[in-house]
């Protein structure tokens, strides 16, 4: 009766991976319980999540062919576009479909944009690619697009491109405060991404030491037209989530990322921690800090635990 926060399956978005050119789902070693799905196994997984009450999925594609600009990300026949159509066929309007909007899974160099001569993403050339990806995802049936590349001006560019193409009803979930964390490691295994030359994303993602800058990034994205803003990762940035909740009035999401999930599983596998109560404590803390919406690989476990 006196409990202040409660988790509900409606709070959750399940991140899922779909891979082109495989015959059966492949387990992801560093993310126990998660798979690179085929189109078919993705449909089954989403059907089960939906039955458990999870209302939304975030989709990441793993293409067979990667190139310099990540062209499979905006190919109308690209793996994510096909998966969006499958899920729309299966669920109609009853599922919120949110493709991640970035090119790192699709580029042969692993960066989130097209590279300039110095080997770093060229911000403005990359925006033109993101505009094409947004429209391709909207045509396929996305409800919300989720730009995660941290290019300056990406929300505004995508909003304009969607509106010009007649998709003014497609919303934008902006990865607004996305940190250059060491916690994305297992994700990069999941999407077969290695950043060329041992590089990193510190040129475009945020310094892990900065909280004021996160608020500035969030305010900028809201000004550019974001409908939902996100803080990522979650657990090490509860201060940022809490501050954002106090300072802004649009829906706030938090992404409990691959490394956060993997750590809990690794400790549980050793018998050092109990998986389920720790998962509930972590995801519950993210909600308590102020997130309305939580992206987590624990979505199934949490939704099952809440039945
Ligand atoms: C970029 C993207 C990343 C994640 C989501 N979108 C990786 C990165 O920025 O390197 C990480 C998610 C996770 O670790 O669970 N497309």
């Amino acid at each position: 009766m006196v409990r202040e926060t409660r988790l509900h399956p409606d709070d959750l978005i399940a991140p899922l991976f779909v891979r082109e050119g495989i015959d059966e789902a492949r387990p992801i070693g560093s993310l126990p319980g998660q798979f690179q799905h085929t189109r078919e196994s993705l449909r089954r997984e989403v059907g089960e999540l939906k039955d458990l009450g999870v209302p939304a999925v975030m989709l990441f594609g793993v293409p067979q062919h990667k190139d310099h600009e990540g062209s499979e990300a905006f190919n109308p026949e690209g793996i994510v576009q096909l998966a969006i159509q499958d899920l729309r066929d299966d669920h109609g309007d009853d599922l919120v479909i949110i493709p991640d909007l970035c090119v790192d899974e699709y580029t042969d160099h692993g960066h989130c944009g097209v590279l300039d001569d110095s080997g770093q993403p060229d911000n403005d050339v990359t925006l033109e690619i993101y505009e094409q990806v947004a429209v391709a995802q909207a045509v396929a049936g996305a409800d919300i697009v989720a730009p995660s590349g941290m290019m300056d001006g990406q929300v505004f560019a995508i909003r304009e491109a969607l509106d010009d193409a007649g998709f003014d009803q497609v919303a934008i979930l902006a990865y607004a405060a996305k940190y250059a964390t060491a916690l994305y490691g297992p994700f990069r295994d999941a999407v077969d991404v290695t950043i060329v030359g041992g590089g990193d994303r510190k040129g475009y993602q945020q310094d892990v030491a900065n909280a004021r800058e996160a608020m500035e990034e969030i305010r900028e994205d809201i000004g550019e037209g974001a409908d939902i803003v996100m803080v990522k990762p979650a657990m090490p940035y509860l201060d940022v989530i809490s501050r954002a909740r106090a300072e802004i009035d649009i829906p706030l999401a938090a992404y409990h990322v691959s490394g956060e999930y993997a750590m809990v599983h690794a400790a549980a596998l050793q018998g050092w921690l109990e998986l389920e109560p720790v998962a509930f404590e972590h995801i519950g803390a993210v909600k308590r800090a102020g997130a309305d919406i939580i992206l987590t690989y624990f979505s199934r476990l949490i939704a099952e635990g809440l039945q």
Side-chain angles (χ1 to χ4, degrees):
M1 196 172 68
V2 294
R3 177 161 261 207
E4 295 174 19
T5 46
R6 287 184 171 79
L7 285 171
H8 188 277
D10 270 340
D11 303 330
L12 305 170
I13 300 177
L16 296 167
F17 305 97
V18 57
R19 182 175 177 142
E20 188 180 23
I22 53 171
D23 298 329
E24 57 185 281
R26 292 190 188 168
I28 300 163
S30 51
L31 293 176
Q34 305 298 314
F35 296 84
Q36 290 184 330
H37 284 287
T38 65
R39 284 172 65 186
E40 265 321 298
S41 72
L42 182 77
R43 294 174 98 142
R44 280 195 300 276
E45 176 73 14
V46 174
E48 289 172 22
L49 285 165
K50 199 73 232 309
D51 289 344
L52 289 165
V54 177
V57 293
M58 164 79 74
L59 299 177
F60 296 95
V62 189
Q64 233 167 349
H65 304 291
K66 304 196 184 210
D67 60 23
H68 183 69
E69 56 175 18
S71 59
E72 281 299 304
F74 54 83
N75 177 355
E77 302 289 314
I79 184 65
V80 158
Q81 276 66 253
L82 297 176
I84 294 170
Q85 290 165 32
D86 289 341
L87 298 178
R88 187 59 72 215
D89 285 349
D90 290 351
H91 300 282
D93 272 349
D94 289 337
L95 175 73
V96 184
I97 303 177
I98 315 171
D100 179 81
L101 197 171
C102 194
V103 290
D104 62 319
E105 299 93 21
Y106 303 90
T107 53
D108 50 18
H109 46 74
H111 273 293
C112 294
V114 181
L115 304 188
D116 63 17
D117 295 340
S118 73
Q120 281 295 314
D122 181 319
N123 193 92
D124 294 2
V125 176
T126 300
L127 294 184
E128 290 169 25
I129 305 275
Y130 287 0
E131 291 169 15
Q132 294 182 61
V133 180
V135 172
Q137 293 177 339
V139 168
D143 298 291
I144 303 178
V145 297
S148 66
M150 290 295 277
M151 296 297 128
D152 292 337
Q154 62 184 12
V155 174
F156 185 76
I158 289 167
R159 184 70 272 157
E160 272 205 327
L162 288 171
D163 289 356
D164 288 349
F167 294 108
D168 53 311
Q169 295 300 313
V170 172
I172 299 179
L173 186 173
Y175 287 68
K178 179 173 177 183
Y179 284 92
T181 172
L183 290 164
Y184 301 147
F187 174 91
R188 295 191 187 147
D189 289 345
V191 291
D192 296 342
V193 168
T194 312
I195 304 176
V196 67
D200 59 42
R201 306 205 197 291
K202 291 184 178 155
Y204 41 107
Q205 296 180 349
Q206 283 193 116
D207 186 335
V208 297
N210 291 359
R212 289 194 303 264
E213 183 184 38
M215 291 312 305
E216 199 52 31
E217 291 279 355
I218 289 170
R219 281 190 285 264
E220 271 177 29
D221 279 3
I222 294 174
E224 289 180 28
D227 300 282
I228 305 171
V229 286
M230 182 150 74
V231 174
K232 175 185 177 186
M235 290 292 293
Y237 303 93
L238 293 181
D239 58 327
V240 177
I241 295 171
S242 163
R243 188 162 165 182
R245 180 66 297 157
E247 292 185 27
I248 62 152
D249 292 317
I250 70 168
L252 176 65
Y255 197 146
H256 186 264
V257 303
S258 59
E260 300 180 84
Y261 174 88
M263 285 194 282
V264 180
H265 266 282
L269 276 170
Q270 297 276 353
W272 293 342
L273 290 175
E274 266 185 81
L275 186 71
E276 186 171 331
V278 177
F280 267 86
E281 189 174 332
H282 278 201
I283 303 306
V286 177
K287 180 146 186 200
R288 192 188 64 239
D292 305 301
I293 303 167
I294 305 165
L295 283 93
T296 171
Y297 304 97
F298 281 128
S299 289
R300 176 190 271 271
L301 179 138
I302 300 274
E304 280 172 351
L306 290 170
Q307 298 299 305

